[in-house]
Amino acid sequence: LEESLRLQQFERDASELKAWIGEKMKIAQDESYKDPSNLQSKFQKHQAFEAELESNRDRLEGMDKTGQGLTDARHYASAQIKDRLSELTELWKSLAEATSVKGQKLKEAHKEQEFNREVADIDHWIDVVEQ
């Protein structure tokens, strides 16, 4: 009975973490960087998002520790627990990768915007000099 309770608690926590990762994945896969307006604000939000992910990494580590404890104790559902841990780890890796890609895209969009501003300034300067 105690093992069943521990499994149910583990599954509940795993489901909550999976749902949280799913919500954050939507944000990480958002392609708002394609719209050049408010890039600085988007980049700042992204930095806050990265900090939030980092601060929640301990949830995954806690799940891993709990799951390892259950499997080390030869829990009757050890295979199920290992599968769930693998699933959560892969979801977290996907979230981290998507977050990294979005951050890189935001940086590239910002650099492109700066370049375009510089080109516009040079064009304006050339127009002034030619007059």
Side-chain angles (χ1 to χ4, degrees):
L1 193 58
E2 178 69 27
E3 284 189 343
S4 292
L5 176 62
R6 292 177 68 199
L7 177 63
Q8 291 304 313
Q9 290 170 335
F10 173 81
E11 284 294 332
R12 180 200 62 217
D13 293 345
S15 293
E16 287 174 4
L17 182 56
K18 182 178 177 180
W20 184 85
I21 291 172
E23 290 172 19
K24 298 306 171 185
M25 185 62 89
K26 291 175 188 174
I27 296 168
Q29 293 175 333
D30 173 13
E31 295 184 340
S32 63
Y33 58 85
K34 291 183 176 180
D35 176 12
S37 63
N38 301 321
L39 276 178
Q40 185 63 32
S41 172
K42 291 174 186 175
F43 188 69
Q44 288 173 340
K45 285 180 183 177
H46 184 72
Q47 288 177 317
F49 179 74
E50 287 177 321
E52 179 185 5
L53 292 187
E54 189 58 38
S55 69
N56 278 278
R57 179 183 298 275
D58 62 334
R59 289 177 67 186
L60 178 65
E61 292 169 356
M63 288 297 307
D64 191 51
K65 185 177 179 181
T66 300
Q68 282 301 123
L70 290 170
T71 58
D72 290 349
R74 301 185 192 271
H75 192 280
Y76 70 88
S78 289
Q80 175 185 342
I81 293 166
K82 287 179 184 178
D83 290 345
R84 191 70 144 151
L85 289 174
S86 293
E87 176 188 25
L88 291 171
T89 299
E90 287 306 311
L91 287 171
W92 189 270
K93 285 180 184 176
S94 295
L95 176 59
E97 177 64 25
T99 301
S100 176
V101 167
K102 183 177 180 180
Q104 187 62 38
K105 296 291 185 183
L106 280 166
K107 287 177 187 174
E108 290 171 6
H110 183 68
K111 284 181 182 179
E112 181 181 349
Q113 189 177 52
E114 286 179 355
F115 176 78
N116 289 336
R117 281 189 198 133
E118 289 175 12
V119 168
D121 289 346
I122 292 171
D123 281 345
H124 177 71
W125 179 79
I126 290 172
D127 289 343
V128 168
V129 170
E130 288 178 343
Q131 292 176 358

